[in-house]
Amino acid sequence: MYNVDIALQQVKIAEAALAPVLAAVGNVQKNFGSTQSLAVLETLQASIAAQLTVPLYQGGAEYSAIRQAKETLGQRRVDMDNARDVVQQRVQE
């Protein structure tokens, strides 16, 4: 059952390659004035920027990885069903 869970997580990881990515960058800068100029003793500047990246098509490698992960998941489920059948058969004997 753990192998099935791991294979399911691998499918989710492969599908995440197609998800949009949002990145945020911030900057804060504080400057202190000099003693000769009393007009401005300190200034505070802040900025923030956001970037959204939406993958449209990267040659199909992501889709191939998703198909492979789903195929592996199917095989792990078949293996689990076979192991479960063997155990049930041995218990009934």
Side-chain angles (χ1 to χ4, degrees), residues 54-72:
V54 180
L56 296 177
Y57 183 72
Q58 292 106 5
E62 289 82 7
Y63 296 101
S64 175
I66 291 170
R67 283 192 306 273
Q68 184 177 4
K70 286 183 178 180
E71 188 66 30
T72 301

Side-chain angles (χ1 to χ4, degrees), residues 2 4-6 10 14 19 26 31 35 39 44 46 57 59 63-64 66 75:
Y2 294 117
V4 172
D5 292 340
I6 291 169
Q10 291 298 324
N31 295 322
T35 57
L44 181 65
Y57 183 72
Y63 296 101
S64 175
I66 291 170
Q75 184 61 45

